[in-house]
Amino acid sequence: MRPARVAILAGLVTALLAGCASFHPAPLSAAQIAGAIDARSLDDARLATFIAAELGKSEPASRWDLARLTLAALYYHPDLDIARARLAAARAAVVTAGQRPNPTLDLTAAFGTSAAAGAIPMGAAPLTIGPVVTFVIETFGKREYRTAEARQLAEAARQDVATAAWQVRGHVRGALIDLWMARGRLSLLRRRLALEDELVDLLERRQAAGATSALDVTRERVLRAQFALAVRNAEQARVDARARLATSIGIPLAALDGVTLSFDALDRPAAPPAGIAAGALRRRALTGRSDVAAALAAYAAAQSALQLAIAGQYPNLTLGPGYQYDFGLDKYMLGPSLVLPIFNHNEGPIAEAMARRRQMAARFTALEAAIIGAIDRAAADYRAASAVVATADALTADARRRERQMRRSFAAGEIDRPSFVAAEIEEAAAALSRFDAVAKQRRALGRIEDALRQPLFEPAAPFLVPETSPRPPAEPPA
């Protein structure tokens, strides 16, 4: 083989190998990752920059409301890291799907000196050697179908990031409602316990004076003990709610120490529009939710996969052009070849692709049915909870009116102190019942928000989901 040709071939191989990627190890350290998570804080400067960019406000947060806590969760929560990693993998798969098959290089060589007289030209090397480069030409749009499937799966992964963000928001909102409820119940229960303590003390004095029976005193003591236990349970519920809030954000519980939380969004939420079960928000949810868009993209990917399987019935064309030095003779070859579809016509993969398309269609129908059911249940729960709140409002108003009457009577000396305290207890019981009803209404409103994927708590707050992590790359992925 001529030295010039050898040099050209060697240079080509060297150039191809120079463009290859190299491996860089990225070991995981459990201690390092745990330390990074423990160091997370709501005072982080990069978090403040991210929140300011999202809200369009540069002033630091004095109170952390639902909007800021949600943005902190979008910054920290590991579920979003997982969804973003899947999106990155899906986008990389688009590159893979669009790549053309690399040609293969085949070098054959044969050495020998025995040949018929005159068969080898004078001065020729007694060997046969030559490169053959084989190209695979994909036919019937296989590369286009494969790329389309990958792009549609990448779109589904992109929508999954938005779905994960909504789920994170729902967890933050639910934990904040639980904490708001625990704090409110604890305050009302403590007031009720203080009134029970006062009433028991007054009745014990009456019993000592022989003006009341031991049975009445015992009954009030048992009731006081029940409320003392209820206070302890409410305190535990508050601790649990704070822990759930920290987990929903993706920070350690200690990061909430010294943080002032705002519950304004829960105290005064926006009322949902009338006719939720049949209105524009329902139609928007059924057509525009991120999980609906992801399911449609997955179905489109299944369509492309079926087209690819059908195109697989037809063989690809293989061309093997090459040169051969044969005992002094130059020979040039083309070498076309293809697979003969004799034993099968790709029936198995086609059947599998058709079944997967039916599966994606069934999943989409099930998702739509689940959304309809969730909207209907949430709307019914909200209506029922609102009716209970209206009844509780009326009962609370009556109890307050009687308490005011008893207060005036007590000031006028017409009734004794135990009777007035009993009226206060009645008003406190009505207030606690009303608060429980309002808490159920807030939870129902949260379920409507989850079903519609429409913010009802702080609806004007921005909710833009970054598709790449806003955290600095120095922190290991959670």
Side-chain angles (χ1 to χ4, degrees), residues 396-416:
T396 302
D398 288 342
R400 287 175 179 171
R401 185 168 52 253
R402 285 192 295 272
E403 191 271 341
R404 287 193 297 268
Q405 291 174 351
M406 298 295 285
R407 182 182 297 274
R408 289 193 295 267
S409 298
F410 178 69
E414 297 174 359
I415 61 172
D416 56 7

Side-chain angles (χ1 to χ4, degrees), residues 185-464:
R185 280 185 57 84
L186 181 59
S187 176
L188 293 172
L189 286 170
R190 283 174 173 171
R191 177 171 177 260
R192 177 68 184 273
L193 181 59
L195 292 173
E196 291 292 339
D197 285 337
E198 183 178 1
L199 183 58
V200 168
D201 182 62
L202 292 172
L203 291 180
E204 287 176 345
R205 294 179 185 179
R206 278 191 172 186
Q207 182 187 16
T212 189
S213 65
L215 180 61
D216 293 336
V217 176
T218 301
R219 183 168 54 247
E220 291 301 327
R221 284 174 178 166
V222 170
L223 194 58
R224 180 181 63 179
Q226 292 175 348
F227 277 98
L229 182 60
V231 167
R232 296 294 176 265
N233 290 335
E235 291 172 345
Q236 181 62 46
R238 183 180 60 178
V239 172
D240 293 342
R242 287 185 80 253
R244 286 196 300 273
L245 179 60
T247 301
S248 68
I249 298 171
I251 58 177
L253 178 59
L256 289 179
D257 294 342
V259 173
T260 302
L261 300 175
S262 171
F263 299 95
D264 292 344
L266 308 180
D267 293 330
R268 294 178 296 275
I276 292 174
L281 290 178
R282 174 194 177 98
R283 292 191 296 272
R284 188 186 306 171
L286 290 171
T287 57
R289 275 179 39 158
S290 57
D291 52 353
V292 171
L296 287 174
Y299 180 77
Q303 292 261 66
S304 297
L306 177 58
Q307 290 175 297
L308 178 61
I310 292 174
Q313 297 176 104
Y314 309 102
N316 295 327
L317 177 62
T318 302
L319 294 178
Y323 162 81
Q324 187 178 62
Y325 175 84
D326 185 12
F327 286 77
L329 300 177
D330 294 326
K331 298 180 179 180
Y332 298 92
M333 300 166 289
L334 182 60
S337 66
L338 53 82
V339 176
L340 297 178
I342 296 176
F343 297 114
N344 71 81
H345 292 274
N346 217 38
E347 296 92 346
I350 291 174
E352 291 180 21
M354 293 182 66
R356 283 194 294 270
R357 185 177 67 170
R358 289 193 297 269
Q359 182 183 17
M360 292 299 104
R363 285 185 178 179
F364 181 79
T365 302
L367 175 62
E368 290 282 272
I371 293 173
I372 291 173
I375 293 174
D376 290 343
R377 288 194 305 272
D381 289 346
Y382 182 79
R383 287 193 298 269
S386 297
V388 174
V389 170
T391 302
D393 285 340
L395 294 175
T396 302
D398 288 342
R400 287 175 179 171
R401 185 168 52 253
R402 285 192 295 272
E403 191 271 341
R404 287 193 297 268
Q405 291 174 351
M406 298 295 285
R407 182 182 297 274
R408 289 193 295 267
S409 298
F410 178 69
E414 297 174 359
I415 61 172
D416 56 7
R417 181 67 182 178
S419 299
F420 173 56
V421 173
E424 289 186 305
I425 289 176
E426 179 186 2
E427 190 270 335
L432 181 59
S433 297
R434 180 191 178 279
F435 181 81
D436 289 341
V438 170
K440 290 181 180 179
Q441 184 193 51
R442 299 296 189 271
R443 286 176 172 171
L445 189 61
R447 288 192 291 272
I448 292 178
E449 184 179 88
D450 288 338
L452 296 176
R453 300 285 167 86
Q454 178 72 25
L456 299 175
F457 296 95
E458 295 183 343
F463 188 66
L464 302 177

